[in-house]
Amino acid sequence: MTTSAPAAEQEARVDRALAELVRGEAVWAACDLPRRARLLEQVRAATAAQSEAWVRAAAAYKRLPDGSPLLGEEWMSGPYPVLTGTAALAESVRALAGGRSPVDGFSFTEAPGGRVAVRVLPHGIHDRLLLSGFSAQVWMPPGVSAARVRERAGLGQRRPERTAGVGVVLGAGNITSIPVLDVLYELYAHNRVVALKLNPITDGLFDVFSEVLAPLIEVGAVRILTGGADVGARLVHHPSVGHVHMTGSAATHDAIVFGTGAEGADRKRNGTPLLTKSVTSELGGVSPTLVLPGAWSEADLRFQAEHVATQRLHNGGYNCVASQVVVIGSDWAQKDRFLTHLRAALAQAPTRPAYYPGSDDRVRQALDAYPDARVLDERVLVEGVDPSAPGPLLTTEYFAPVLGVVELPGNAREFLDVAVRTANEDFAGTLGVNLIAHPGTLADLGPALDEAIAELRYGTVAVNAWTGVGYLTANASWGAFPGHTVDDVQSGIGVVHNAILLDGPERTVVRGPFRPAPRALLHGELSLSPKPPWFVGNRTAAGTGRLLADFAAAPRWSALPGIFASALRG
């Protein structure tokens, strides 16, 4: 009895939550657009009120000490994107309520291959100031006209009374904004009421999330559950549930959809999944960073080496879009100097506990596969990877502080061609890819750069920026490149975020400044951005992150000087 009673209680808890959601669906269907916009504003206000508790809870399970600059990561990847995301989504819902399209006020441009691109960053004067030099576009698939984009934007909120049943969100354990943002996307983009199952390592955020989502919980549109795999299994297979959304790895996806072990492998091979409901997902992969050869200054080499280190080490390396392999030119005259700075950046980044389960084992696996790898303060750097026989680095997502270096030949144009082909054909996953290139190199490439971007089969492409900026851009789409299926899921199916509710976006393209201010201005780049606060070596990241979250909760001109001063000190 002692073992069966808890299981029975958990089953009853799941059944009760889903029964409440079935009833709550009718209440949600009756919520008109103005009320739905007000609910988002209430969630935003609750997020602002809970932001301190949110960051404390995240720091507790990630074992970050008080006063650590790394707390900035928790401000900027926790409350901040929920504050900006709820504001942007509410703006879209209000536009629909007023008979307008959510994309009214956004500019459209052409992209290669007969594509239409919607500029989503900057959107307003505050973006231009706080993210000076950064931009983002959402590219639609070839042949989709601007008129169709306007007509179809809005997704489930175009007919709010037509709800789509009950969905389950299996929450992420790494970035703490993911569970809340995924719930909002299911509810607003797909018009489904939602059962959120927390990843067990985030159970300490249950109270915070309950307060943040309280406005939606009170109308019966959301329920939050904790528990292990048994709770997740009962949820996803429950007859009341029509859809499942998950965040994690491709291996986790396959275990849920097909089962584990030899039987699961057989089901996948035979196309007979255990979970036959519709599934969307945001999964990881081996995100590459392509460094194009050029004539860089020593300061450029140092800054971009820290940029690459950040792409690997942000959040300890436990990001679905963390760069795992940097691809550089074997013929690049400055290759050795860049690698010297990269080693230093990896070694000098702040140390932190390996909080994510299994991290130490995955590091050991990397060292077993590459016994000549350098260990730099518990970070693994694998240099000299043979591109013709690279081993697991290109196909296994380590989800740990492991970074490899692959060298490819040629001048900038030749290198770009072969690097794009390698990224498409040899790397596992399609979530994100980064390109770093000197402005002179970009000018020399001309239209070939956008053509290369169009060839890259990745959901977010970042040029002189990290794809994580796309994650933080509320109106951008976030997810794998389209076209994957449950039996070859790669980095997932569908998108999230996408606060302007575009129908079927193909990718997000982010651009940033090659140099920080003031060096950028001295070299003719129109950017006022200093070293970004998400860089792992930013000394004032915690203070800047807090100020940015406070500003996102209540935008006002009087807050900007403090943000700029803190950012410049970093």
Side-chain angles (χ1 to χ4, degrees):
M1 294 296 294
T2 56
T3 56
S4 61
E9 290 172 9
Q10 288 179 342
E11 290 175 2
R13 185 163 51 95
V14 169
D15 294 347
R16 184 167 57 252
L18 293 176
E20 290 168 354
L21 287 170
V22 169
R23 293 192 295 272
E25 184 182 4
V27 180
W28 179 246
C31 289
D32 61 12
L33 291 174
R35 187 181 182 193
R36 292 184 181 200
R38 289 195 300 273
L39 286 167
L40 285 167
E41 292 295 355
Q42 291 167 14
V43 170
R44 184 181 179 208
T47 300
Q50 290 293 317
S51 60
E52 288 272 3
W54 185 325
V55 171
R56 282 199 305 272
Y61 87 83
K62 297 183 182 183
R63 291 178 280 161
L64 294 175
D66 292 343
S68 170
L70 295 174
L71 291 172
E73 295 181 354
E74 301 313 314
W75 282 102
M76 286 179 282
S77 64
Y80 175 79
V82 174
L83 291 163
T84 57
T86 47
L89 193 52
E91 185 178 338
S92 293
V93 175
R94 284 193 294 266
L96 291 163
R100 295 174 285 113
S101 170
V103 299
D104 288 352
F106 291 81
S107 62
F108 287 67
T109 60
E110 294 181 356
R115 292 173 171 89
V116 164
V118 185
R119 192 183 74 172
V120 295
L121 179 73
H123 182 58
I125 185 62
H126 291 149
D127 282 351
R128 290 183 175 88
L129 292 172
L130 292 174
L131 289 166
S132 175
F134 289 88
S135 66
Q137 296 176 328
V138 177
W139 288 15
M140 302 302 291
V144 176
S145 67
R148 184 180 175 190
V149 172
R150 289 189 174 91
E151 177 188 346
R152 301 292 293 273
L155 298 177
Q157 298 311 294
R158 295 173 66 236
R159 297 296 300 270
E161 72 283 1
R162 292 186 178 178
T163 52
V166 178
V168 168
V169 167
L170 300 177
N174 56 341
I175 296 295
T176 59
S177 57
I178 292 176
V180 176
L181 292 173
D182 287 354
V183 165
L184 295 176
Y185 199 71
E186 284 293 299
L187 196 54
Y188 280 83
H190 299 299
N191 217 14
R192 280 189 282 265
V193 294
V194 187
L196 168 62
K197 159 68 172 63
L198 296 184
N199 185 305
I201 69 172
T202 65
D203 282 354
L205 282 155
F206 177 84
D207 290 342
V208 169
F209 288 168
S210 296
E211 291 295 328
V212 165
L213 294 170
L216 298 167
I217 293 171
E218 289 166 7
V219 300
V222 173
R223 290 293 182 268
I224 307 176
L225 296 107
T226 60
D230 52 343
V231 173
R234 186 164 184 86
L235 275 169
V236 301
H237 292 288
H238 199 283
S240 297
V241 170
H243 179 83
V244 176
H245 177 81
M246 67 186 76
T247 300
S249 67
T252 301
H253 168 276
D254 287 353
I256 292 169
V257 172
F258 294 100
T260 58
E263 291 182 355
D266 287 342
R267 291 190 195 97
K268 182 177 179 180
R269 188 164 45 250
N270 297 328
T272 55
L274 280 175
L275 184 63
T276 57
K277 300 170 184 182
S278 65
V279 175
T280 53
S281 51
E282 187 264 271
L283 311 174
V286 180
S287 298
T289 296
L290 316 179
V291 180
L292 276 64
W296 298 12
S297 70
E298 198 71 10
D300 296 336
L301 292 163
R302 184 167 50 249
F303 176 77
Q304 292 299 345
E306 186 177 354
H307 194 183
V308 172
T310 292
Q311 294 169 10
R312 175 67 269 182
L313 298 180
H314 181 275
N315 193 36
Y318 312 118
N319 287 335
C320 288
V321 78
S323 181
Q324 185 165 298
V325 177
V326 55
V327 183
I328 64 175
S330 57
D331 300 323
W332 185 24
Q334 295 175 297
K335 174 190 71 176
D336 291 337
R337 289 299 302 152
F338 176 77
L339 289 174
T340 297
H341 284 293
L342 180 60
R343 295 177 202 121
L346 291 169
Q348 294 167 9
T351 58
R352 58 184 301 158
Y355 74 87
Y356 206 86
S359 176
D360 290 339
D361 288 340
R362 292 188 293 275
V363 168
R364 279 193 291 271
Q365 291 167 16
L367 290 172
D368 288 343
Y370 301 95
D372 295 330
R374 296 174 184 262
V375 179
L376 303 167
D377 199 6
E378 300 184 359
R379 291 88 186 239
V380 176
L381 178 63
V382 186
E383 298 181 44
V385 177
D386 183 353
S388 64
L393 259 172
L394 275 60
T395 55
T396 300
E397 182 191 12
Y398 281 113
F399 213 67
V402 176
L403 180 67
V405 180
V406 170
E407 299 182 18
L408 297 175
N411 60 30
R413 179 60 189 269
E414 294 163 343
F415 172 88
L416 180 60
D417 289 343
V418 69
V420 167
R421 186 166 59 252
T422 301
N424 282 340
E425 297 176 0
D426 297 341
F427 283 75
T430 64
L431 187 60
V433 60
N434 312 281
L435 287 82
I436 298 175
H438 188 281
T441 303
L442 297 179
D444 291 341
L445 288 170
L449 175 68
D450 276 357
E451 292 167 4
I453 291 172
E455 288 182 32
L456 283 162
R457 297 192 294 271
Y458 286 83
T460 299
V461 180
V463 181
N464 288 338
W466 179 33
T467 46
V469 177
Y471 178 92
L472 293 177
T473 302
N475 288 317
S477 61
W478 181 255
F481 194 75
H484 301 312
T485 59
V486 291
D487 57 347
D488 183 21
V489 75
Q490 294 282 318
S491 290
I493 300 169
V495 300
V496 290
H497 303 187
N498 185 29
I500 51 177
L501 301 173
L502 296 170
D503 184 23
E506 182 184 68
R507 76 184 82 202
T508 289
V509 178
V510 178
R511 290 178 168 87
F514 180 72
R515 305 177 180 92
R519 280 199 305 117
L521 293 171
L522 296 175
H523 288 84
E525 290 184 86
L526 298 180
S527 172
L528 300 174
S529 292
K531 177 192 290 187
W534 53 84
F535 268 41
V536 290
N538 191 302
R539 297 187 301 273
T540 61
T544 305
R546 180 194 295 267
L547 291 169
L548 286 169
D550 177 66
F551 181 83
R556 58 209 182 278
W557 289 104
S558 60
L560 294 178
I563 296 173
F564 292 146
S566 180
L568 285 168
R569 288 197 304 273

